[in-house]
């Protein structure tokens, strides 16, 4: 889909919670909508966050090629190419997926703090899927690296649980 128009709207969930709604519209009239909690922030930040969510959603659980589909998640090489500019830096998110991990394509974020907040938010979302007694409720949930692969930040289960409780 070739994006011809974007829009950020303030919206409300059926239970009255304020959200941001990012709408991406294509040439043929198709639109993709991303609803996000935490309605604070600029339009640019909202669009960047919505793009990151779309990338995460589009690639989560899907192999990029046959080699990845047949691997155990320990990929031989991940090549990241980008150039940093005034619109932010590139960050790479790894998500714990059972006993393996899932690395999504690089995301441009306006700042390290924005990337860190996104990592924490995603870790809180992953908590919902963890089952006491079945899943390992220790260790990391999300790892944040720079474009060279240097680990910058890790969100563990305890930190995600603390953030979830603080948000309630």
């Amino acid at each position: 889909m070739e994006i011809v128009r974007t829009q950020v709207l303030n919206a409300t969930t059926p239970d009255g919670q304020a959200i941001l709604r990012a709408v991406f519209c294509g040439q043929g009239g198709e639109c993709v909508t991303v609803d996000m909690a935490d309605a604070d922030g600029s339009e640019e930040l909202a669009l960047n966050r919505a793009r990151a969510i779309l990338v995460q959603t589009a690639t989560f659980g899907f192999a990029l090629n046959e080699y990845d589909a047949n691997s155990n998640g320990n990929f031989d090489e991940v090549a990241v190419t980008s150039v940093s500019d005034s619109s932010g830096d590139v960050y790479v998110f790894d998500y714990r997926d059972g006993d393996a991990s899932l690395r999504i394509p690089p995301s441009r974020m306006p700042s390290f703090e924005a990337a860190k907040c996104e990592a924490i938010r995603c870790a809180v979302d992953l908590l919902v899927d963890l089952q006491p007694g079945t899943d390992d409720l220790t260790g990391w949930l999300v790892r944040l690296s720079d474009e060279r692969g240097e680990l910058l930040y890790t969100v563990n289960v305890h930190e995600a649980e603390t953030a979830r409780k603080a948000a309630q």
Side-chain angles (χ1 to χ4, degrees):
M1 175 170 89
E2 184 177 334
I3 305 289
V4 295
R5 182 173 53 91
T6 60
Q7 197 174 6
V8 177
L9 308 166
N10 289 311
T12 306
T13 64
D15 64 354
Q17 181 182 11
I19 60 171
L20 281 178
R21 176 167 290 149
V23 182
F24 300 90
C25 296
Q27 278 184 320
E30 61 274 341
C31 291
V32 175
T33 303
V34 178
D35 289 346
M36 300 168 284
D38 188 17
D40 295 332
S42 70
E43 183 171 322
E44 182 180 345
L45 290 174
L47 287 173
N48 285 338
R49 184 171 172 206
R51 285 183 190 103
I53 290 169
L54 286 172
V55 168
Q56 294 163 8
T57 303
T59 60
F60 197 80
F62 296 101
L64 298 175
N65 55 48
E66 185 177 333
Y67 174 79
D68 290 355
N70 294 321
S71 78
N72 64 359
N74 296 324
F75 306 118
D76 293 333
E77 180 181 353
V78 175
V80 179
T81 58
S82 71
V83 176
S84 296
D85 60 20
S86 62
S87 65
D89 290 325
V90 173
Y91 297 94
V92 179
F93 294 85
D94 290 298
Y95 298 93
R96 187 170 89 182
D97 185 16
D99 293 332
S101 67
L102 174 69
R103 175 168 281 187
I104 64 162
S107 301
R108 184 170 298 280
M109 303 295 283
S111 67
F112 172 70
E113 281 304 312
K116 182 178 168 182
C117 288
E118 182 66 13
I120 292 169
R121 188 195 63 74
C122 291
V124 169
D125 288 347
L126 290 174
L127 282 177
V128 175
D129 296 331
L130 296 178
Q131 301 295 319
T134 304
D135 292 316
D136 180 13
L137 299 179
T138 62
W140 69 276
L141 291 174
V142 178
R143 293 185 298 211
L144 177 64
S145 303
D146 65 14
E147 60 189 321
R148 294 178 311 278
E150 182 180 329
L151 183 63
L152 301 173
Y153 186 70
T154 301
V155 184
N156 62 33
V157 173
H158 175 72
E159 184 177 1
E161 184 62 31
T162 301
R164 183 188 66 77
K165 287 178 182 175
Q168 290 180 338

